[in-house]
Amino acid sequence: MPTGALPAQESEHGHEDAPCGALSAGNGRARGRQEGTPGRDERYRFREPDPVLRLSALYDGQRPSDGVEDHGRPWRHGRRTRSPHRSVPEAVGSHSGQLMGETTTEPREELSQVLRHRREKLEALRAKGVEPFAYNFHRSADAAGAVATFEGAEKAGSLDEKDHGERVEVGGRLVGWRDMGRSIFAHLEDASGRIQLYFKKNILGEDDFETLALLDVSDWIGVEGPTFRTRTGEVTVQVESWTLLAKSLRPLPFGKAETDPETGERIIHSGFADQETRYRQRYADLAVHPDVREVFRLRSRVISSLRRFLDEEGFLEVETPVLQPLYGGASAKPFVTRHNALDQTMYLRIADELYLKRLIVGGLDRVYEISKDFRNEGLSRVHSPEFTMLEWYQAFSDYEDQMDLCERMILYVMDEVMGTRQVTFGSHQLTIEAPFRRIGLVSALSEALGRDVHEMSEDDLRAEAERRNVADLDGAGPGKLIDKLFGELVEPGLIEPTFVIDHPKELSPLAKPHREDPRLTERFELYMGGAEVFNAFSELNDPIDQRERFETQVALREAGDDEAQQIDEDYIRALEYGMPPTGGVGMGVDRFVMMLLDQPTIRDVILFPMLRNED
RNA sequence: GACCCGGUAGCUCAGCUGGCAGAGCAACUGACUUUUAAUCAGUAGGUCGUGGGUUCGAGCCCCACCCGGGUCACCA
């Protein structure tokens, strides 16, 4: 599990799990595996003699009589039939067939025993008149608030004669359960943190206490009662009444947590380690891993902070098309789709750039957009086909100004969200301070090669690249060769924030020529933690030059480069009306978040990363 | 795409040179009224990714395939 050093979080919630109540749903084997029966079909019948007497007893006489086939759905009796909840919630999925005793073509479910027990408890609860899926629950505090209030009262000496704090109503998910016989300790977790619950038989009464045995870790419950501090020092709710809010029919894969007696640190033994399953079932990953929840809370705060920064700088947030008749603004392959009514091929955008610059032409002189872009390419640690891009364009600025703006923005976000300028990138500990290092792409490469890149012919460059086993050189011109060599030789070392500036013209068809060296463009990429996070130019505003650049791209495309750009006539028309000098920046928001939160892969900062179809 | 590693109980994993498929946790039964990885006693739980092959015998060896992770390479 990701264990990035996340700053400034409240508590380290660990995970605990524990066996739940003593009472239970009975002996599955006896029912499901009777001699000679093929298993599934028999599993849910209630027949005599049924050894599951404790469970049966809880039905309070509503238990279906025996030996009749349609008792596969005992909860269908009584008022349940007309309940808006109808039969089984969606989570049941393919198991309903099983449970109904029907033959089904569904593959046999892996969890049948565990799922069965929970379903039996659900029935037992309904038989006792306990509604397992509540409509609402009023909370007087969240878990952290209840603890804080108690501690405040304790400090102020305002506890009552029994050392109880005020009564609270808290609600959350059961994440731990320790049954001690006539008393039970449990932990309840909500978005704020966790709080211990204490259930005591002679407070709740015999019957209510018995019913607790039908609860499980993962259930949502609400409780009410005074707070107190246990002998071991933990602030705890002494439960006087409880309400089941939602029965969990599928146990969450909680791991175990222990507290190191030496350091007091919580050591977490994850019960949910399979990366793929964690991405597919992000709900369970989030439910079980508080630090994953924290990553996404911080991601959200980073994005808010970026937005606030740009708003304060006078930028206007805009929205431009995701579905485009012509894609452009980057070198990438698009997703293709079709609009039926217009009978027209559409592309999912690969960049926002060309639309945003049209807005500069129109006089909206500082604009930005935070959006999903789509590139039909492979997946990797730093590439997702669907990713979040922030682009902004500012008239009356050039790339020098934008480097300054980037520095300010990064420090603004760090101060506001992280509260520190210290950051960890893998094994590197860094302090981020402006100004960042600036290196010329060509001069840095020249230094790495030990010879002046400008003096090298295309053949020299190719020979160097081949000597260093740089892959995929087909059709690469000198610009691309320089870029490849740079990627090989210089890029991996760019851990601390570094502006790499002044790229070869061939690589940057939308950037202005360098004012001092026509072979280059005024462009920078900002690298952090070894990955490119920002990309920016002094934007090309000469429509005649722009057309020539597009034509060069078309030639590259015809030569087989399917990532080369196309001529966008409408964009050229816009430039012909006149675009003021403009600096523009694109930022990979996911990567930025990765860097700030020290997350090793882009999937760890995307809630639902793209995966191959399940089956 | 190429290379490396992996897929065994609900989860995390072990399984030697081919010889009866295992552990911990979770589940289930029982005990326990201030525990917190609760503890103690007991019970159940398996299509060893899929399909072929070799063998008296395959989780293990061979072939093919599926799925995942990592590394490399390109766009943020």
Side-chain angles (χ1 to χ4, degrees):
Chain A
M1 69 189 304
T3 49
L6 300 178
Q9 316 177 14
E10 52 287 298
S11 52
E12 293 273 342
H13 331 300
H15 316 301
E16 288 168 64
D17 210 353
C20 68
L23 180 59
S24 90
N27 187 334
R29 180 185 51 151
R31 216 172 321 118
R33 291 285 174 100
Q34 290 177 47
E35 55 293 11
T37 51
R40 184 191 302 149
D41 290 348
E42 292 298 322
R43 192 167 295 143
Y44 244 75
R45 287 184 200 155
F46 291 81
R47 40 171 72 199
E48 295 294 355
D50 189 338
V52 194
L53 295 178
R54 300 235 28 203
L55 179 67
S56 310
L58 292 167
Y59 276 82
D60 267 348
Q62 286 189 43
R63 185 167 68 92
S65 57
D66 312 296
V68 182
E69 287 302 305
D70 69 3
H71 291 149
R73 306 169 77 173
W75 60 81
R76 280 290 197 162
H77 289 253
R79 65 188 173 89
R80 292 264 60 83
T81 309
R82 268 163 294 156
S83 157
H85 302 297
R86 301 184 44 242
S87 59
V88 192
E90 230 131 80
V92 172
S94 62
H95 311 294
S96 53
Q98 242 181 57
L99 289 163
M100 287 186 278
E102 295 164 358
T103 20
T104 166
T105 53
E106 295 282 346
R108 189 154 164 259
E109 173 58 42
E110 73 285 359
L111 262 176
S112 53
Q113 183 195 54
V114 173
L115 294 184
R116 218 163 57 229
H117 288 141
R118 295 222 164 182
R119 215 70 47 103
E120 286 163 356
K121 290 178 182 179
L122 178 82
E123 294 160 27
L125 284 160
R126 284 192 161 138
K128 293 192 95 181
V130 176
E131 168 54 52
F133 299 100
Y135 283 91
N136 203 351
F137 178 76
H138 173 266
R139 297 194 287 179
S140 68
D142 60 21
V147 171
T149 304
F150 177 86
E151 285 173 341
E154 199 175 41
K155 214 171 263 176
S158 58
L159 299 180
D160 70 12
E161 68 282 356
K162 290 191 216 152
D163 281 340
H164 283 181
E166 67 181 52
R167 307 176 70 78
V168 294
E169 294 157 284
V170 292
R173 177 178 262 139
L174 282 174
V175 294
W177 189 268
R178 294 177 294 284
D179 186 336
M180 311 286 298
R182 289 177 193 81
S183 68
I184 297 169
F185 287 91
H187 271 102
L188 186 79
E189 184 173 278
D190 66 18
S192 74
R194 54 172 55 195
I195 188 166
Q196 184 167 253
L197 308 180
Y198 180 50
F199 298 93
K200 205 170 172 183
K201 191 167 189 173
N202 61 4
I203 290 179
L204 290 171
E206 184 104 8
D207 188 55
D208 198 27
F209 192 81
E210 282 280 292
T211 310
L212 288 175
L214 298 173
L215 298 188
D216 288 295
V217 167
S218 305
D219 289 350
W220 291 88
I221 70 166
V223 302
E224 189 267 330
T227 42
F228 73 108
R229 197 179 279 282
T230 61
R231 198 176 287 162
T232 47
E234 181 160 354
V235 177
T236 300
V237 180
Q238 180 171 291
V239 179
E240 294 187 350
S241 68
W242 60 273
T243 309
L244 182 56
L245 304 179
K247 183 69 191 159
S248 162
L249 295 180
R250 186 181 288 272
L252 284 164
F254 285 105
K256 282 277 195 179
E258 62 182 312
T259 307
D260 190 313
E262 308 275 305
T263 62
E265 269 178 65
R266 273 191 104 78
I267 302 163
I268 292 167
H269 308 279
S270 180
F272 196 35
D274 184 76
Q275 281 298 336
E276 185 201 352
T277 313
R278 289 177 54 191
Y279 296 139
R280 285 192 192 282
Q281 299 187 27
R282 183 67 92 179
Y283 36 89
D285 188 32
L286 289 162
V288 153
H289 294 132
D291 54 342
V292 174
R293 293 202 290 274
E294 193 59 23
V295 164
F296 289 103
R297 283 202 190 96
L298 284 169
R299 177 187 167 117
S300 174
R301 292 182 55 199
V302 166
I303 291 171
S304 301
S305 182
L306 290 168
R307 195 171 257 134
R308 202 169 307 121
F309 175 84
L310 287 165
D311 289 345
E312 284 169 8
E313 292 285 326
F315 283 81
L316 182 73
E317 182 170 11
V318 297
E319 293 168 276
T320 64
V322 175
L323 287 173
Q324 305 181 349
L326 196 65
Y327 61 94
S331 301
K333 283 172 264 184
F335 286 89
V336 185
T337 186
R338 184 138 199 98
H339 187 277
N340 290 339
L342 294 178
D343 191 23
Q344 184 174 308
T345 298
M346 303 293 284
Y347 303 94
L348 274 64
R349 71 171 152 213
I350 59 171
D352 312 2
E353 171 148 0
L354 299 182
Y355 280 99
L356 291 173
K357 284 192 281 191
R358 284 172 169 98
L359 299 178
I360 299 287
V361 169
L364 299 177
D365 68 354
R366 292 180 184 202
V367 291
Y368 75 97
E369 182 166 17
I370 297 175
S371 64
K372 284 287 182 70
D373 286 359
F374 306 86
R375 298 189 183 176
N376 209 338
E377 292 161 347
L379 291 77
S380 84
R381 195 178 68 78
V382 287
H383 294 93
S384 168
E386 171 180 342
F387 64 100
T388 302
M389 173 81 105
L390 164 60
E391 292 190 30
W392 70 85
Y393 293 84
Q394 178 179 5
F396 303 99
S397 79
D398 60 15
Y399 78 141
E400 295 276 355
D401 297 322
Q402 293 307 319
M403 281 189 261
D404 298 340
L405 191 74
C406 285
E407 287 172 347
R408 285 196 289 121
M409 174 187 264
I410 289 167
L411 294 175
Y412 178 96
V413 171
M414 291 193 72
D415 289 347
E416 197 179 68
V417 179
M418 318 299 292
T420 174
R421 294 187 175 185
Q422 307 283 332
V423 69
T424 303
F425 293 156
S427 57
H428 303 271
Q429 294 277 343
L430 297 176
T431 302
I432 309 296
E433 291 295 352
F436 302 162
R437 194 155 67 106
R438 299 182 186 195
I439 60 174
L441 189 154
V442 170
S443 55
L445 181 59
S446 298
E447 197 174 315
L449 287 173
R451 47 197 291 208
D452 185 349
V453 170
H454 281 313
E455 304 293 309
M456 293 169 71
S457 67
E458 183 171 340
D459 287 343
D460 290 341
L461 288 165
R462 187 176 303 276
E464 279 289 349
E466 277 167 2
R467 201 154 61 78
R468 292 167 201 276
N469 296 318
V470 176
D472 197 19
L473 297 175
D474 297 344
K480 199 149 192 170
L481 288 167
I482 289 170
D483 190 52
K484 292 265 187 188
L485 281 165
F486 182 84
E488 185 75 12
L489 297 177
V490 185
E491 215 175 284
L494 301 178
I495 302 300
E496 65 180 281
T498 303
F499 290 111
V500 174
I501 65 175
D502 300 342
H503 296 54
K505 197 166 173 180
E506 174 191 329
L507 295 173
S508 312
L510 300 165
K512 277 182 92 66
H514 198 280
R515 59 195 85 179
E516 283 160 14
D517 185 341
R519 295 169 297 187
L520 303 176
T521 53
E522 296 200 352
R523 174 176 179 185
F524 70 81
E525 293 175 304
L526 176 57
Y527 285 79
M528 303 173 74
E532 181 191 344
V533 181
F534 292 71
N535 180 26
F537 336 119
S538 296
E539 303 295 337
L540 180 57
N541 58 347
D542 172 348
I544 295 169
D545 191 0
Q546 184 65 73
R547 178 180 294 282
E548 285 167 8
R549 304 282 195 98
F550 276 145
E551 279 164 357
T552 307
Q553 289 290 308
V554 168
L556 284 171
R557 174 171 284 268
E558 278 162 4
D561 182 350
D562 53 4
E563 293 186 346
Q565 305 191 23
Q566 313 164 69
I567 297 189
D568 186 333
E569 291 291 350
D570 179 71
Y571 176 67
I572 291 172
R573 177 168 59 197
L575 290 186
E576 285 168 352
Y577 283 116
M579 182 171 84
T582 296
V585 181
M587 166 186 182
V589 173
D590 311 281
R591 287 186 184 176
F592 184 59
V593 172
M594 284 169 67
M595 297 310 139
L596 287 182
L597 303 186
D598 192 28
Q599 294 297 305
T601 85
I602 198 165
R603 287 177 170 187
D604 291 325
V605 299
I606 294 176
L607 280 167
F608 297 99
M610 187 177 289
L611 297 168
R612 194 181 296 272
N613 262 349
E614 204 173 3
D615 292 328

